[in-house]
Amino acid sequence: MAASSSTAADVLPQQKYDLFLSFRGEARLKFISHLYAALKRKQILTYMDDKSLESGDEIGPALSTAIEQSKLSIIIFSKHYASSRWCLDELVHILKCKEAYGQLVVPVFYDIDPSDVRQQKRTYADAFAVLEERFKDKKGTRCASGEMLSQQQPIVDVIIWFDKYF
């Protein structure tokens, strides 16, 4: 009997959503609500987390599963996206799904210059200074931002990754 080979299809999670929206709450009323309504009109099944998130919470299993079960993730980078531990955890999980399953990932820069994100300027510089201070003495944290800081890999490396693909 021949040995069976594992294919990408064997390890892909079941696709439940067409897309997953990752965003910071500040963009919800002005942009996200309109985008979500337009996607819904086009019958694009979109996962958008409507729960109020507590500061410091880790992304939950349901949210992780929704990311994994989406064909496409859209990351809405806004002025305060990087100041949210939750958003950064989502970002890292999305990128893991990109690498593991070939999930499509599209960045959108809302009300912010992409160079502010790539070069960690203005609100992104402020957010990472706060995160670095908060996690400098914590080893083994499960927080995406802490994980990156402990590995000496700033978020700008993740953003530059987009330049390769877009």
Side-chain angles (χ1 to χ4, degrees):
M1 189 183 307
S4 64
S5 62
S6 178
T7 65
D10 294 334
V11 295
L12 283 174
Q14 181 181 2
Q15 301 296 288
K16 184 174 180 181
Y17 303 102
D18 294 316
L19 75 91
F20 178 90
L21 285 176
S22 177
F23 62 95
R24 175 79 174 173
E26 82 222 44
R28 183 183 301 274
L29 295 177
K30 293 181 180 179
F31 179 70
I32 301 298
S33 61
H34 298 288
L35 175 61
Y36 183 78
L39 293 166
K40 192 172 181 179
R41 279 193 303 276
K42 294 291 185 181
Q43 298 179 351
I44 297 172
L45 187 55
T46 303
Y47 185 92
M48 181 178 84
D49 187 29
D50 289 328
K51 296 177 185 146
S52 170
L53 306 176
E54 296 295 322
S55 179
D57 284 351
E58 294 180 16
I59 63 173
L63 194 57
S64 293
T65 300
I67 292 169
E68 293 163 9
Q69 293 180 339
S70 298
K71 297 175 189 171
L72 166 75
S73 285
I74 296 179
I75 303 166
I76 312 294
F77 289 102
S78 57
K79 287 181 182 175
H80 300 288
Y81 184 90
S83 65
S84 166
R85 174 180 168 174
W86 194 280
C87 288
L88 295 178
D89 284 345
E90 284 181 9
L91 175 62
V92 168
H93 197 71
I94 288 167
L95 294 177
K96 285 179 181 176
C97 289
K98 161 74 175 123
E99 294 302 317
Y101 312 122
Q103 185 182 89
L104 299 173
V105 179
V106 176
V108 173
F109 298 92
Y110 171 73
D111 197 28
I112 190 164
D113 188 314
S115 67
D116 288 355
V117 178
R118 287 188 187 103
Q119 298 169 13
Q120 294 184 353
K121 297 189 301 190
R122 296 178 182 74
T123 58
Y124 277 69
D126 297 342
F128 287 107
V130 168
L131 289 171
E132 186 171 359
E133 183 62 30
R134 185 185 311 166
F135 295 108
K136 72 179 180 181
D137 295 328
K138 294 182 181 181
K139 302 274 187 217
T141 179
R142 298 183 56 81
C143 166
S145 54
E147 199 176 304
M148 288 181 191
L149 289 169
S150 68
Q151 296 173 0
Q152 303 300 319
Q153 178 188 356
I155 193 73
V156 72
D157 291 343
V158 175
I159 305 306
I160 288 171
W161 171 86
F162 288 118
D163 289 338
K164 292 181 187 178
Y165 299 100
F166 303 101

